[in-house]
Coordinates of all heavy atoms in Angstrom, one line a residue:
V1 N 15.4 -9.0 19.1 CA 14.2 -8.5 18.5 C 14.5 -7.4 17.5 O 15.5 -6.7 17.6 CB 13.1 -8.1 19.5 CG1 12.3 -9.3 19.9 CG2 13.8 -7.4 20.7
D2 N 13.5 -7.1 16.7 CA 13.7 -6.0 15.7 C 13.0 -4.8 16.1 O 12.3 -4.1 15.3 CB 13.1 -6.6 14.3 CG 14.0 -7.4 13.6 OD1 15.3 -7.4 13.9 OD2 13.6 -8.2 12.7
L3 N 13.1 -4.3 17.3 CA 12.6 -3.1 17.8 C 13.6 -2.0 17.8 O 14.7 -2.2 18.4 CB 12.0 -3.3 19.2 CG 10.7 -4.1 19.3 CD1 10.3 -4.3 20.8 CD2 9.6 -3.5 18.5
W4 N 13.3 -0.8 17.3 CA 14.2 0.3 17.2 C 13.6 1.6 17.7 O 12.3 1.7 17.5 CB 14.7 0.5 15.8 CG 15.5 -0.7 15.3 CD1 15.0 -1.8 14.8 CD2 16.9 -0.8 15.2 NE1 16.1 -2.7 14.4 CE2 17.3 -2.1 14.7 CE3 18.0 0.1 15.6 CZ2 18.5 -2.5 14.5 CZ3 19.3 -0.3 15.4 CH2 19.6 -1.6 14.8
Q5 N 14.3 2.4 18.3 CA 13.8 3.8 18.7 C 14.6 4.8 17.8 O 15.8 4.9 17.9 CB 14.1 4.0 20.2 CG 13.6 5.4 20.7 CD 13.9 5.5 22.1 OE1 13.4 4.7 22.9 NE2 14.6 6.6 22.5
V6 N 13.8 5.5 17.0 CA 14.4 6.4 16.0 C 14.0 7.8 16.3 O 12.8 8.1 16.4 CB 13.9 6.0 14.6 CG1 14.5 7.0 13.5 CG2 14.3 4.6 14.2
T7 N 15.0 8.7 16.5 CA 14.7 10.1 16.8 C 15.0 10.9 15.6 O 16.1 10.8 14.9 CB 15.6 10.6 18.0 OG1 15.3 9.8 19.1 CG2 15.3 12.0 18.3
S8 N 14.1 11.8 15.2 CA 14.2 12.6 14.0 C 13.7 14.0 14.4 O 12.6 14.2 14.7 CB 13.4 12.0 12.9 OG 13.3 13.0 11.8
G9 N 14.6 14.9 14.6 CA 14.3 16.3 15.0 C 13.8 16.2 16.5 O 14.4 15.7 17.3
Q10 N 12.5 16.7 16.7 CA 12.0 16.7 18.0 C 11.2 15.4 18.3 O 10.8 15.2 19.5 CB 11.0 17.9 18.2 CG 11.6 19.3 18.0 CD 12.4 19.7 19.2 OE1 13.5 19.3 19.4 NE2 11.8 20.6 20.0
Q11 N 11.0 14.6 17.3 CA 10.1 13.4 17.5 C 10.9 12.1 17.6 O 11.9 12.0 16.9 CB 9.1 13.3 16.3 CG 8.2 14.5 16.3 CD 7.0 14.2 15.3 OE1 7.2 13.7 14.3 NE2 5.8 14.7 15.7
T12 N 10.4 11.2 18.4 CA 11.0 9.9 18.5 C 9.9 8.8 18.2 O 8.7 9.0 18.7 CB 11.5 9.7 19.9 OG1 12.6 10.6 20.1 CG2 12.1 8.3 20.1
H13 N 10.2 7.9 17.4 CA 9.2 6.9 17.0 C 9.8 5.5 17.3 O 10.9 5.2 17.2 CB 8.9 7.0 15.5 CG 8.2 8.3 15.2 ND1 6.9 8.6 15.6 CD2 8.6 9.3 14.4 CE1 6.6 9.8 15.1 NE2 7.6 10.2 14.4
A14 N 8.8 4.6 17.6 CA 9.2 3.2 17.8 C 9.0 2.4 16.4 O 7.9 2.4 15.9 CB 8.3 2.5 18.9
V15 N 10.1 1.8 15.9 CA 10.0 1.0 14.7 C 10.1 -0.4 15.0 O 10.9 -0.9 15.7 CB 11.1 1.5 13.8 CG1 11.2 0.6 12.5 CG2 11.0 2.9 13.3
N16 N 9.2 -1.2 14.4 CA 9.2 -2.7 14.6 C 9.4 -3.3 13.2 O 8.5 -3.3 12.4 CB 7.8 -3.1 15.2 CG 7.9 -4.6 15.5 OD1 8.5 -5.4 14.8 ND2 7.2 -5.0 16.6
L17 N 10.6 -3.7 13.0 CA 11.0 -4.3 11.6 C 10.3 -5.6 11.4 O 10.1 -5.9 10.2 CB 12.5 -4.4 11.5 CG 13.3 -3.2 11.5 CD1 14.8 -3.5 11.3 CD2 12.8 -2.2 10.5
Q18 N 10.0 -6.3 12.4 CA 9.3 -7.6 12.2 C 7.8 -7.4 11.8 O 7.3 -8.1 10.9 CB 9.4 -8.4 13.5 CG 9.0 -9.9 13.3 CD 9.6 -10.8 14.3 OE1 10.2 -10.3 15.3 NE2 9.5 -12.1 14.1
M19 N 7.2 -6.5 12.4 CA 5.7 -6.2 12.1 C 5.5 -5.2 11.0 O 4.4 -4.9 10.6 CB 5.0 -5.7 13.4 CG 5.1 -6.6 14.6 SD 4.3 -8.2 14.3 CE 2.6 -7.7 14.2
H20 N 6.6 -4.6 10.5 CA 6.6 -3.6 9.5 C 5.7 -2.4 9.9 O 4.8 -1.9 9.2 CB 6.0 -4.1 8.2 CG 7.0 -5.1 7.5 ND1 6.9 -5.4 6.2 CD2 8.1 -5.8 8.0 CE1 7.9 -6.3 5.8 NE2 8.6 -6.5 6.9
T21 N 6.0 -1.9 11.1 CA 5.2 -0.8 11.7 C 6.2 0.3 12.2 O 7.3 0.0 12.6 CB 4.3 -1.2 12.8 OG1 5.1 -1.7 13.9 CG2 3.2 -2.2 12.4
C22 N 5.7 1.5 12.2 CA 6.4 2.7 12.8 C 5.3 3.5 13.6 O 4.2 3.6 13.1 CB 7.1 3.5 11.8 SG 7.9 5.0 12.5
G23 N 5.7 4.2 14.7 CA 4.8 5.0 15.4 C 4.2 6.1 14.7 O 3.2 6.7 15.0
C24 N 4.9 6.6 13.6 CA 4.4 7.7 12.7 C 3.2 7.2 11.9 O 2.5 8.0 11.3 CB 5.4 8.3 11.9 SG 5.9 7.4 10.4
R25 N 3.1 5.9 11.8 CA 2.0 5.2 11.0 C 2.1 5.2 9.5 O 1.3 4.6 8.8 CB 0.6 5.7 11.5 CG 0.3 5.7 12.9 CD -0.3 4.4 13.4 NE -1.6 4.2 12.8 CZ -2.1 3.1 12.2 NH1 -1.2 2.1 12.0 NH2 -3.3 3.0 11.8
K26 N 3.1 5.9 8.9 CA 3.2 6.0 7.5 C 3.5 4.7 6.9 O 3.0 4.3 5.8 CB 4.3 7.0 7.1 CG 3.9 8.5 7.3 CD 5.0 9.4 6.9 CE 4.8 10.8 7.3 NZ 5.9 11.7 7.3
W27 N 4.4 3.9 7.5 CA 4.8 2.6 7.0 C 3.5 1.7 7.0 O 3.2 1.0 6.1 CB 5.9 2.0 7.8 CG 6.6 0.8 7.2 CD1 6.3 0.2 6.0 CD2 7.6 0.0 7.8 NE1 7.1 -0.8 5.8 CE2 7.9 -1.0 6.9 CE3 8.2 0.0 9.0 CZ2 8.8 -2.0 7.2 CZ3 9.2 -1.0 9.3 CH2 9.5 -2.0 8.4
D28 N 2.8 1.7 8.1 CA 1.7 0.8 8.3 C 0.6 1.1 7.2 O 0.0 0.2 6.7 CB 1.0 1.1 9.7 CG 1.9 1.3 10.8 OD1 3.1 1.7 10.6 OD2 1.6 0.9 12.0
L29 N 0.4 2.4 6.9 CA -0.6 2.8 6.0 C -0.2 2.6 4.5 O -1.1 2.3 3.7 CB -1.0 4.2 6.2 CG -1.7 4.5 7.5 CD1 -1.8 6.0 7.8 CD2 -3.1 3.9 7.6
S30 N 1.0 2.8 4.2 CA 1.4 2.8 2.8 C 2.1 1.5 2.4 O 2.1 1.2 1.2 CB 2.4 3.9 2.5 OG 3.7 3.7 3.2
G31 N 2.6 0.7 3.3 CA 3.3 -0.5 2.9 C 4.8 -0.2 2.5 O 5.5 -1.1 2.1
I32 N 5.1 1.1 2.5 CA 6.5 1.5 2.1 C 7.2 2.0 3.3 O 6.6 2.9 4.0 CB 6.5 2.5 1.0 CG1 5.8 2.0 -0.3 CG2 7.9 3.0 0.6 CD1 5.4 3.0 -1.3
P33 N 8.4 1.5 3.7 CA 9.0 2.0 4.9 C 9.2 3.5 4.9 O 9.6 4.1 3.9 CB 10.4 1.3 4.8 CG 10.2 0.1 3.9 CD 9.2 0.5 2.9
C34 N 8.9 4.1 6.1 CA 9.1 5.6 6.2 C 10.5 5.9 6.5 O 11.4 5.0 6.6 CB 8.2 6.0 7.4 SG 8.6 5.2 8.9
N35 N 10.9 7.1 6.6 CA 12.3 7.5 6.8 C 12.8 7.0 8.1 O 13.9 6.6 8.3 CB 12.4 9.1 6.8 CG 11.4 9.8 7.6 OD1 10.3 9.3 7.9 ND2 11.7 11.0 8.0
H36 N 11.9 6.8 9.2 CA 12.4 6.3 10.5 C 12.7 4.8 10.3 O 13.7 4.3 10.8 CB 11.3 6.4 11.5 CG 10.6 7.8 11.5 ND1 9.3 7.9 11.0 CD2 11.1 9.0 11.8 CE1 9.0 9.2 11.1 NE2 10.0 9.9 11.5
A37 N 11.8 4.1 9.6 CA 12.1 2.6 9.3 C 13.3 2.4 8.5 O 14.2 1.6 8.9 CB 10.9 2.0 8.6
I38 N 13.6 3.3 7.5 CA 14.8 3.1 6.7 C 16.0 3.3 7.5 O 17.0 2.7 7.3 CB 14.7 4.0 5.4 CG1 13.6 3.4 4.5 CG2 16.0 4.1 4.7 CD1 13.4 4.2 3.3
S39 N 16.0 4.3 8.5 CA 17.1 4.5 9.3 C 17.4 3.3 10.1 O 18.6 2.8 10.3 CB 16.8 5.7 10.3 OG 16.9 6.9 9.6
A40 N 16.4 2.6 10.7 CA 16.5 1.4 11.5 C 17.0 0.3 10.6 O 17.9 -0.5 11.0 CB 15.2 1.0 12.1
I41 N 16.5 0.2 9.4 CA 16.9 -0.9 8.4 C 18.4 -0.7 8.1 O 19.2 -1.7 8.1 CB 16.0 -0.9 7.2 CG1 14.6 -1.3 7.5 CG2 16.6 -1.8 6.1 CD1 13.5 -1.0 6.5
N42 N 18.8 0.5 7.8 CA 20.2 0.8 7.5 C 21.1 0.4 8.7 O 22.2 -0.2 8.5 CB 20.4 2.2 7.1 CG 19.9 2.5 5.7 OD1 19.9 1.6 4.8 ND2 19.6 3.8 5.4
K43 N 20.7 0.8 9.9 CA 21.4 0.5 11.1 C 21.6 -0.9 11.3 O 22.6 -1.4 11.8 CB 20.8 1.2 12.3 CG 21.7 1.5 13.5 CD 22.4 2.7 13.2 CE 23.3 3.1 14.5 NZ 24.3 4.1 14.2
A44 N 20.6 -1.7 10.9 CA 20.6 -3.2 11.0 C 21.3 -3.8 9.9 O 21.4 -5.0 9.8 CB 19.2 -3.7 11.1
K45 N 21.9 -3.0 9.0 CA 22.6 -3.4 7.8 C 21.8 -4.3 6.9 O 22.3 -5.4 6.4 CB 24.0 -4.1 8.2 CG 24.9 -3.2 9.0 CD 26.2 -3.9 9.2 CE 27.2 -3.2 10.2 NZ 27.3 -1.8 9.9
R46 N 20.6 -4.0 6.7 CA 19.7 -4.7 5.8 C 19.3 -3.8 4.6 O 19.6 -2.6 4.6 CB 18.5 -5.2 6.6 CG 18.9 -6.2 7.6 CD 17.8 -6.8 8.4 NE 18.1 -7.2 9.8 CZ 17.3 -7.3 10.8 NH1 16.0 -7.0 10.6 NH2 17.7 -7.6 12.0
K47 N 18.5 -4.3 3.7 CA 18.1 -3.6 2.5 C 16.6 -3.1 2.6 O 15.7 -3.9 2.9 CB 18.2 -4.5 1.3 CG 19.7 -4.8 0.9 CD 19.8 -5.4 -0.4 CE 19.3 -6.9 -0.4 NZ 19.4 -7.6 -1.7
P48 N 16.4 -1.8 2.5 CA 15.0 -1.3 2.6 C 14.0 -2.0 1.7 O 12.9 -2.2 2.0 CB 15.1 0.2 2.2 CG 16.6 0.5 2.5 CD 17.4 -0.7 2.2
E49 N 14.4 -2.3 0.5 CA 13.5 -2.9 -0.5 C 13.0 -4.3 0.0 O 11.9 -4.7 -0.5 CB 14.2 -3.1 -1.9 CG 15.5 -3.9 -1.9 CD 16.7 -3.0 -1.8 OE1 16.7 -2.0 -1.1 OE2 17.7 -3.3 -2.5
D50 N 13.7 -4.9 0.9 CA 13.2 -6.2 1.5 C 12.0 -5.9 2.5 O 11.4 -6.9 2.9 CB 14.3 -6.9 2.2 CG 15.3 -7.5 1.2 OD1 15.0 -7.6 0.0 OD2 16.5 -7.7 1.7
Y51 N 11.8 -4.6 2.8 CA 10.7 -4.3 3.8 C 9.5 -3.6 3.1 O 8.6 -3.2 3.8 CB 11.3 -3.4 4.9 CG 12.3 -4.2 5.8 CD1 13.6 -4.4 5.4 CD2 11.8 -4.9 6.9 CE1 14.4 -5.2 6.3 CE2 12.6 -5.7 7.7 CZ 13.9 -5.8 7.4 OH 14.7 -6.6 8.2
V52 N 9.5 -3.5 1.8 CA 8.4 -3.0 1.1 C 7.3 -4.1 1.0 O 7.6 -5.2 0.8 CB 8.8 -2.5 -0.3 CG1 7.6 -2.0 -1.1 CG2 9.8 -1.4 -0.2
S53 N 6.0 -3.7 1.1 CA 4.9 -4.6 1.0 C 5.0 -5.5 -0.2 O 5.3 -5.0 -1.3 CB 3.6 -3.9 1.1 OG 2.5 -4.7 0.8
K54 N 4.6 -6.7 -0.1 CA 4.6 -7.6 -1.3 C 3.7 -7.2 -2.3 O 3.8 -7.5 -3.5 CB 4.3 -9.0 -0.9 CG 2.9 -9.2 -0.3 CD 2.5 -10.6 0.1 CE 1.1 -10.7 0.6 NZ 0.6 -12.0 0.7
F55 N 2.7 -6.3 -1.9 CA 1.7 -5.8 -2.9 C 2.3 -4.9 -4.0 O 1.7 -4.6 -4.9 CB 0.5 -5.2 -2.2 CG -0.3 -6.1 -1.4 CD1 -0.3 -6.1 0.0 CD2 -0.9 -7.2 -2.0 CE1 -1.0 -7.0 0.8 CE2 -1.7 -8.1 -1.2 CZ -1.7 -8.0 0.2
F56 N 3.5 -4.4 -3.7 CA 4.2 -3.6 -4.7 C 5.1 -4.4 -5.6 O 5.8 -3.8 -6.5 CB 5.0 -2.5 -4.0 CG 4.1 -1.5 -3.3 CD1 3.9 -1.5 -2.0 CD2 3.5 -0.5 -4.1 CE1 3.1 -0.5 -1.3 CE2 2.6 0.5 -3.5 CZ 2.5 0.4 -2.1
K57 N 5.2 -5.7 -5.3 CA 6.2 -6.5 -6.1 C 5.5 -7.0 -7.4 O 4.3 -7.2 -7.5 CB 6.6 -7.7 -5.2 CG 7.3 -7.3 -3.9 CD 8.6 -6.7 -4.1 CE 9.2 -6.0 -2.9 NZ 9.8 -6.9 -1.9
K58 N 6.4 -7.3 -8.4 CA 6.0 -7.7 -9.7 C 5.1 -9.0 -9.6 O 4.1 -9.1 -10.4 CB 7.2 -8.0 -10.6 CG 6.8 -8.3 -12.0 CD 8.1 -8.6 -12.8 CE 7.8 -9.0 -14.2 NZ 9.0 -9.3 -15.0
E59 N 5.5 -9.9 -8.8 CA 4.7 -11.2 -8.7 C 3.2 -11.0 -8.4 O 2.4 -11.6 -9.0 CB 5.4 -12.0 -7.6 CG 4.9 -13.4 -7.4 CD 5.7 -14.1 -6.3 OE1 6.8 -14.6 -6.6 OE2 5.1 -14.2 -5.2
I60 N 3.0 -10.1 -7.4 CA 1.6 -9.8 -7.0 C 0.9 -9.0 -8.1 O -0.3 -9.2 -8.4 CB 1.5 -9.0 -5.7 CG1 2.2 -9.9 -4.6 CG2 0.1 -8.7 -5.3 CD1 1.4 -11.1 -4.2
Y61 N 1.6 -8.1 -8.7 CA 1.0 -7.3 -9.8 C 0.5 -8.2 -10.9 O -0.6 -8.0 -11.5 CB 2.1 -6.3 -10.4 CG 1.6 -5.5 -11.6 CD1 0.9 -4.3 -11.4 CD2 2.0 -5.9 -12.8 CE1 0.5 -3.6 -12.5 CE2 1.6 -5.2 -14.0 CZ 0.8 -4.0 -13.8 OH 0.4 -3.3 -14.9
L62 N 1.4 -9.2 -11.3 CA 1.0 -10.1 -12.4 C -0.2 -11.0 -11.9 O -1.1 -11.2 -12.7 CB 2.2 -11.0 -12.8 CG 3.4 -10.2 -13.5 CD1 4.5 -11.2 -13.7 CD2 2.9 -9.6 -14.8
A63 N -0.2 -11.3 -10.7 CA -1.3 -12.2 -10.2 C -2.6 -11.5 -10.3 O -3.6 -12.1 -10.5 CB -1.0 -12.6 -8.7
A64 N -2.6 -10.1 -10.1 CA -3.8 -9.3 -10.1 C -4.5 -9.4 -11.5 O -5.7 -9.3 -11.6 CB -3.5 -7.9 -9.7
Y65 N -3.6 -9.6 -12.5 CA -4.2 -9.6 -13.9 C -4.2 -11.0 -14.5 O -4.4 -11.2 -15.7 CB -3.3 -8.6 -14.8 CG -3.6 -7.2 -14.4 CD1 -2.7 -6.5 -13.6 CD2 -4.7 -6.5 -14.8 CE1 -2.9 -5.2 -13.2 CE2 -5.0 -5.2 -14.5 CZ -4.1 -4.5 -13.6 OH -4.3 -3.3 -13.2
E66 N -3.9 -12.0 -13.6 CA -3.9 -13.4 -14.1 C -5.3 -13.9 -14.5 O -5.4 -14.5 -15.6 CB -3.3 -14.2 -12.9 CG -3.5 -15.7 -13.1 CD -2.6 -16.3 -14.2 OE1 -1.6 -15.6 -14.6 OE2 -3.0 -17.3 -14.8
P67 N -6.4 -13.6 -13.7 CA -7.7 -14.1 -14.2 C -8.2 -13.4 -15.4 O -7.8 -12.3 -15.7 CB -8.6 -13.8 -13.0 CG -7.7 -13.3 -11.9 CD -6.5 -12.8 -12.5
M68 N -9.1 -14.0 -16.1 CA -9.7 -13.4 -17.3 C -10.4 -12.1 -17.0 O -11.1 -12.0 -16.0 CB -10.7 -14.4 -17.9 CG -11.6 -13.9 -18.9 SD -10.7 -13.8 -20.5 CE -11.9 -13.1 -21.6
I69 N -10.1 -11.1 -17.7 CA -10.9 -9.8 -17.6 C -11.8 -9.8 -18.7 O -11.4 -9.7 -19.9 CB -9.9 -8.6 -17.6 CG1 -8.9 -8.7 -16.4 CG2 -10.7 -7.3 -17.6 CD1 -7.8 -7.7 -16.4
Y70 N -13.1 -9.8 -18.4 CA -14.2 -10.0 -19.5 C -14.4 -8.6 -20.2 O -14.4 -7.6 -19.5 CB -15.5 -10.5 -18.9 CG -15.3 -11.9 -18.4 CD1 -14.9 -12.3 -17.1 CD2 -15.5 -13.0 -19.4 CE1 -14.7 -13.6 -16.8 CE2 -15.3 -14.3 -19.0 CZ -14.9 -14.6 -17.7 OH -14.7 -15.9 -17.3
P71 N -14.7 -8.7 -21.5 CA -14.9 -7.5 -22.2 C -16.3 -6.8 -21.8 O -17.2 -7.6 -21.4 CB -15.0 -7.9 -23.7 CG -15.0 -9.4 -23.7 CD -14.6 -9.9 -22.3
V72 N -16.3 -5.5 -21.7 CA -17.5 -4.8 -21.3 C -18.1 -4.0 -22.5 O -17.3 -3.3 -23.1 CB -17.2 -3.8 -20.1 CG1 -18.5 -3.0 -19.7 CG2 -16.6 -4.6 -19.0
P73 N -19.4 -4.2 -22.8 CA -19.9 -3.5 -24.0 C -20.0 -2.0 -23.7 O -20.1 -1.6 -22.5 CB -21.3 -4.1 -24.1 CG -21.7 -4.6 -22.8 CD -20.4 -5.0 -22.2
G74 N -20.2 -1.2 -24.7 CA -20.3 0.3 -24.5 C -21.7 0.6 -24.0 O -22.6 -0.2 -23.9
E75 N -21.9 1.9 -23.6 CA -23.1 2.4 -23.0 C -24.3 2.1 -23.9 O -25.4 1.9 -23.4 CB -23.0 3.9 -22.7 CG -24.0 4.4 -21.7 CD -23.7 5.8 -21.3 OE1 -22.6 6.3 -21.4 OE2 -24.6 6.5 -20.8
H76 N -24.1 2.2 -25.2 CA -25.2 2.0 -26.2 C -25.9 0.6 -26.0 O -27.0 0.4 -26.4 CB -24.7 2.2 -27.6 CG -23.6 1.3 -28.0 ND1 -23.7 0.1 -28.5 CD2 -22.2 1.6 -27.8 CE1 -22.5 -0.4 -28.7 NE2 -21.6 0.4 -28.3
D77 N -25.1 -0.4 -25.4 CA -25.6 -1.8 -25.3 C -26.2 -2.1 -23.9 O -26.6 -3.2 -23.6 CB -24.5 -2.8 -25.7 CG -24.5 -3.1 -27.1 OD1 -25.5 -2.8 -27.9 OD2 -23.5 -3.8 -27.6
W78 N -26.2 -1.1 -23.0 CA -26.6 -1.4 -21.7 C -28.1 -1.5 -21.7 O -28.9 -0.8 -22.5 CB -26.2 -0.2 -20.7 CG -24.7 -0.1 -20.6 CD1 -23.8 -0.9 -21.2 CD2 -24.0 0.9 -19.8 NE1 -22.5 -0.4 -20.8 CE2 -22.6 0.7 -20.0 CE3 -24.4 2.0 -19.0 CZ2 -21.7 1.5 -19.4 CZ3 -23.5 2.8 -18.4 CH2 -22.1 2.5 -18.6
T79 N -28.7 -2.3 -20.7 CA -30.1 -2.5 -20.6 C -30.7 -1.2 -19.8 O -30.2 -0.8 -18.8 CB -30.4 -3.7 -19.7 OG1 -29.7 -4.8 -20.4 CG2 -31.9 -4.0 -19.7
R80 N -31.8 -0.7 -20.4 CA -32.4 0.5 -19.8 C -33.3 0.0 -18.7 O -34.1 -0.9 -18.9 CB -33.2 1.2 -20.9 CG -33.7 2.6 -20.5 CD -32.6 3.7 -20.7 NE -32.8 4.7 -19.7 CZ -31.9 5.6 -19.3 NH1 -30.7 5.5 -19.8 NH2 -32.2 6.5 -18.4
T81 N -33.1 0.6 -17.5 CA -33.9 0.2 -16.3 C -34.9 1.3 -16.0 O -34.6 2.5 -16.3 CB -33.1 -0.1 -15.1 OG1 -32.2 1.0 -14.9 CG2 -32.2 -1.4 -15.3
P82 N -36.1 0.9 -15.4 CA -37.1 1.9 -15.1 C -36.8 2.9 -14.0 O -37.4 4.0 -14.0 CB -38.4 1.0 -14.8 CG -37.9 -0.3 -14.3 CD -36.5 -0.4 -15.0
G83 N -36.0 2.5 -13.1 CA -35.7 3.4 -12.0 C -34.9 4.6 -12.3 O -34.4 4.7 -13.5
P84 N -34.8 5.5 -11.4 CA -34.0 6.8 -11.7 C -32.5 6.5 -11.9 O -32.0 5.5 -11.3 CB -34.2 7.6 -10.4 CG -34.5 6.7 -9.4 CD -35.2 5.5 -10.0
D85 N -31.8 7.3 -12.6 CA -30.4 7.2 -12.8 C -29.7 7.4 -11.5 O -30.2 8.2 -10.7 CB -29.9 8.1 -13.9 CG -30.4 7.7 -15.3 OD1 -30.8 6.6 -15.5 OD2 -30.3 8.6 -16.2
I86 N -28.6 6.7 -11.3 CA -27.9 6.9 -10.0 C -26.8 8.0 -10.3 O -25.9 7.8 -11.1 CB -27.2 5.6 -9.6 CG1 -28.3 4.6 -9.2 CG2 -26.3 5.9 -8.3 CD1 -27.8 3.2 -9.0
D87 N -26.9 9.1 -9.6 CA -26.0 10.2 -9.8 C -24.9 10.2 -8.7 O -25.1 9.6 -7.6 CB -26.7 11.5 -9.7 CG -27.6 11.7 -11.0 OD1 -27.2 11.3 -12.1 OD2 -28.7 12.3 -10.8
P88 N -23.8 10.7 -8.9 CA -22.7 10.8 -7.9 C -23.3 11.7 -6.7 O -24.2 12.5 -6.9 CB -21.5 11.5 -8.6 CG -22.1 12.1 -9.8 CD -23.3 11.4 -10.2
P89 N -22.7 11.6 -5.5 CA -23.1 12.4 -4.4 C -22.9 13.9 -4.7 O -22.1 14.3 -5.5 CB -22.2 12.0 -3.2 CG -21.5 10.8 -3.7 CD -21.5 10.7 -5.2
A90 N -23.8 14.7 -4.1 CA -23.7 16.2 -4.3 C -22.4 16.7 -3.8 O -21.9 16.3 -2.8 CB -24.8 16.9 -3.6
F91 N -21.8 17.6 -4.6 CA -20.5 18.2 -4.2 C -20.7 19.1 -3.1 O -21.5 19.9 -3.0 CB -19.9 18.9 -5.4 CG -18.5 19.5 -5.2 CD1 -17.4 18.7 -5.2 CD2 -18.4 20.8 -4.9 CE1 -16.2 19.2 -5.0 CE2 -17.2 21.3 -4.6 CZ -16.0 20.5 -4.7
K92 N -19.8 19.0 -2.1 CA -19.8 19.9 -0.9 C -18.5 20.7 -0.9 O -17.5 20.1 -1.0 CB -20.0 19.1 0.4 CG -21.3 18.4 0.5 CD -21.4 17.6 1.9 CE -22.6 16.7 1.9 NZ -22.5 15.8 3.0
Ligands
ZN101 ZN1 7.9 6.5 10.7

């Protein structure tokens, strides 16, 4: 199995190379292997780039722009509606 225990300083994390997860949660959240995961990947003699989420790969980037992106007219051409303008939330 692809389970690793990685100790860094005072902390120890469980890395799962198959599920692309680490106990620190950085890999799970970002899709990019954290330092713990990269340690495990190196120890397994594999390449970290093979463990980066497919959403960062060129193929998926191109697919995102594959469909037609329709032109949007400027504000001067927008239809005026009777309701109040929608403002952003109040700054806190
Ligand atoms: Zn981690």
Side-chain angles (χ1 to χ4, degrees):
V1 272
D2 278 341
L3 289 175
W4 295 79
Q5 181 176 306
V6 179
T7 300
S8 169
Q10 299 284 78
Q11 295 193 321
T12 298
H13 296 293
V15 173
N16 186 326
L17 294 184
Q18 194 157 8
M19 300 299 291
H20 290 201
T21 60
C22 175
C24 80
R25 304 272 293 130
K26 284 181 192 163
W27 192 8
D28 319 28
L29 294 170
S30 71
I32 299 169
C34 59
N35 50 336
H36 319 109
I38 289 176
S39 287
I41 292 164
N42 283 335
K43 203 79 175 164
K45 298 187 190 311
R46 297 179 208 159
K47 292 189 287 180
E49 55 266 39
D50 292 338
Y51 289 87
V52 174
S53 168
K54 65 178 179 167
F55 295 112
F56 292 103
K57 303 289 168 79
K58 183 179 176 184
E59 188 178 278
I60 300 290
Y61 176 84
L62 291 175
Y65 291 97
E66 170 67 25
M68 171 76 183
I69 298 173
Y70 291 92
V72 179
E75 195 170 344
H76 56 87
D77 271 348
W78 297 358
T79 305
R80 193 81 210 157
T81 53
D85 289 343
I86 297 170
D87 291 323
F91 182 80
K92 292 179 192 168

